[in-house]
Amino acid sequence: MTFPDELQYTPDHEWIRLEGDGTAIIGITDFAQHELGDIVYVDINTLGQTLAKGEIFGSVEAVKTVSDLFIPIAGEIIEMNDEAEKSPELVNTDPYGRGWIVRIKLTEGTDNTNDLLSASAYQELIGQ
């Protein structure tokens, strides 16, 4: 399993990449996709909505289970990854690249990244 150092992570197994232009990309970690198994459906029904940190922004369905996705920082869902929606297996095969899930516009004036985890802290959390 890989855990890129340039990303930040949540205890709920999402990753986030701050883009520097007031947006961020969110997906699920390599650990999460491995635990879920073969992902068959990505469901994002919050496009255009502004969500508070920790709210559910969608779900991924694997062969044996459905898992909610929690937004790691407050923001508006401005884009969903159409490629991952059409080919959900990308979340398994390339979770940090083509398998990203949503892009958000960060809520202005809010610094809500304090409890995000570094790659090493996330690995410690999951026992890697």
Side-chain angles (χ1 to χ4, degrees):
M1 282 184 250
T2 61
F3 306 97
D5 287 332
E6 68 274 11
L7 303 178
Q8 293 177 293
Y9 301 85
T10 73
D12 294 316
H13 311 292
E14 285 87 20
W15 59 262
I16 184 167
R17 182 176 62 232
L18 301 172
E19 297 289 283
D21 63 354
T23 67
I25 304 291
I26 300 170
I28 66 168
T29 66
D30 197 8
F31 174 80
Q33 70 78 21
H34 180 75
E35 291 293 305
L36 289 168
D38 293 337
I39 294 173
V40 295
Y41 187 65
V42 177
D43 180 28
I44 306 300
N45 57 5
T46 54
L47 189 62
Q49 294 181 25
T50 299
L51 303 174
K53 178 179 182 173
E55 285 192 278
I56 295 171
F57 71 86
S59 63
V60 289
E61 183 178 337
V63 173
K64 296 180 182 177
T65 189
V66 176
S67 182
D68 287 332
L69 300 169
F70 300 93
I71 194 165
I73 58 178
E76 177 188 356
I77 309 293
I78 59 171
E79 181 182 359
M80 51 192 273
N81 183 353
D82 293 333
E83 190 177 11
E85 185 178 39
K86 293 174 188 162
S87 301
E89 67 275 4
L90 288 172
V91 178
N92 290 113
T93 60
D94 193 10
Y96 303 117
R98 292 176 57 208
W100 63 274
I101 298 176
V102 295
R103 178 185 305 270
I104 67 169
K105 180 179 178 189
L106 305 176
T107 300
E108 287 188 40
T110 308
D111 182 13
N112 50 15
T113 62
N114 293 342
D115 59 347
L116 295 175
L117 305 171
S118 67
S120 59
Y122 180 71
Q123 287 175 290
E124 188 176 316
L125 174 78
I126 61 171
Q128 294 287 309

